[in-house]
Amino acid sequence: MTQPKFLIIAIDGGAAAGKSSTSRGLSERFHLMHVDTGSFYRATTLKLLEAGIAPTTDYALVAGLQSLQLDTAISGNNASITINGWVPDESIRSQKVNDNVSHYAALPELRAFLLDYQRSQVQVARDNGFNGLVMEGRDIGSVIFPDANLRLFLHADPEKRAMRRAKEGITDSIEKRDRIDSTRKAAPLQYPDGAIFLDTSELSLEEVIENVSKIVEPLRFA
Ligand code: DC
């Protein structure tokens, strides 16, 4: 049987737009490595907060970033960042991180620091026998993988997004984060030209995965 083509799928969108559930569903269906880059920004934010480094461009930030050794730990289909051997846990989803992450993610130094690491996940996926990778974030289709085989932009109405977070038992300032993420100078959250726009407001998770799978399927042996 012909080997399926190695696929790079980029999924962008605002907070709670359905990126994680969709990415996870696709990763299972097509045996893709799932990479949640939001967790990279959350984990580095937590480490910088712990080190008392403020979200401003200065020597302390550069030195703080240099002290972070990044690697990857695979668990099932999920690729997690590790920082100096630490595997991020639920602490990266705390209120404190929710409140601060957008300010750190707006720093060009932090984005540059994570750029090559994010791109290097392609090789990790190949080395671990995956059929490709599905990477979710805010700038994956615009900056990290503008040539991805598929670039999706997920949207959901603010009320639906708030409901999804409430169901997960998470208090999150979704709209405030989206405002900061969309208006920053470095790699803002935006709909990249030529990406596929999908409004998930009225769709169940199964319907979203089904719709996207119909787009992915023909790409596999193209
Ligand atoms: O996806 P998330 O809500 O866990 O992401 C946390 C924050 O990280 C989000 O507010 C914006 C930032 N982020 C980013 O700037 N670029 C990415 N590729 C992923 C996340």
Side-chain angles (χ1 to χ4, degrees), residues 11-16 19-20 36-42 45 92-93 97-98 100-106 111 114 118 135-140 144 165 172-174 176-178 180-181 184 186-189:
I11 303 192
D12 293 303
K19 302 186 300 295
S20 288
D36 167 15
T37 63
S39 70
F40 300 175
Y41 285 93
R42 289 172 174 277
T45 292
I92 66 166
R93 314 225 165 251
V97 173
N98 282 345
N100 285 281
V101 63
S102 289
H103 300 293
Y104 287 90
R111 306 201 73 82
L114 288 174
Q118 290 171 90
M135 184 176 278
E136 53 163 309
R138 304 294 189 285
D139 61 343
I140 310 307
I144 308 299
R165 278 295 191 257
D172 194 354
S173 36
I174 295 170
K176 184 171 166 221
R177 280 208 290 133
D178 275 1
I180 302 173
D181 295 339
R184 69 185 176 216
L189 165 66

Side-chain angles (χ1 to χ4, degrees), residues 46-217:
L46 185 57
K47 285 290 153 199
L48 293 169
L49 283 169
E50 281 172 2
I53 296 169
T56 45
T57 295
D58 59 14
Y59 175 76
L61 174 68
V62 175
L65 290 174
Q66 275 171 1
S67 73
L68 306 179
Q69 290 293 329
L70 308 183
D71 212 330
T72 305
I74 308 279
S75 166
N77 285 353
N78 187 60
S80 170
I81 195 171
T82 66
I83 303 182
N84 300 335
W86 170 68
V87 182
D89 51 23
E90 275 312 298
S91 58
I92 66 166
R93 314 225 165 251
S94 67
Q95 182 76 48
K96 191 171 165 195
V97 173
N98 282 345
D99 290 344
N100 285 281
V101 63
S102 289
H103 300 293
Y104 287 90
L107 297 168
E109 291 79 4
L110 176 55
R111 306 201 73 82
F113 176 71
L114 288 174
L115 184 87
D116 286 346
Y117 173 73
Q118 290 171 90
R119 290 190 177 148
S120 74
Q121 298 310 293
V122 170
Q123 196 54 46
V124 176
R126 286 188 189 280
D127 292 347
N128 284 277
F130 288 100
N131 294 331
L133 84 171
V134 52
M135 184 176 278
E136 53 163 309
R138 304 294 189 285
D139 61 343
I140 310 307
S142 56
V143 175
I144 308 299
F145 294 125
D147 296 327
N149 301 88
L150 174 63
R151 294 178 305 146
L152 275 181
F153 191 88
L154 298 188
H155 167 86
D157 294 337
E159 312 81 63
K160 296 279 167 168
R161 300 197 284 146
M163 262 166 56
R164 284 175 191 168
R165 278 295 191 257
K167 259 194 192 163
E168 293 164 0
I170 298 170
T171 326
D172 194 354
S173 36
I174 295 170
E175 288 191 67
K176 184 171 166 221
R177 280 208 290 133
D178 275 1
R179 198 166 51 248
I180 302 173
D181 295 339
S182 313
T183 53
R184 69 185 176 216
K185 284 208 181 75
L189 165 66
Q190 59 181 13
Y191 166 70
D193 255 358
I196 293 178
F197 184 92
L198 185 61
D199 187 338
T200 68
S201 308
E202 302 301 330
L203 300 175
S204 67
L205 173 60
E206 291 71 28
E207 287 170 323
V208 175
I209 293 172
E210 206 47 52
N211 287 351
V212 180
S213 295
K214 284 193 187 126
I215 306 171
V216 173
E217 198 60 63

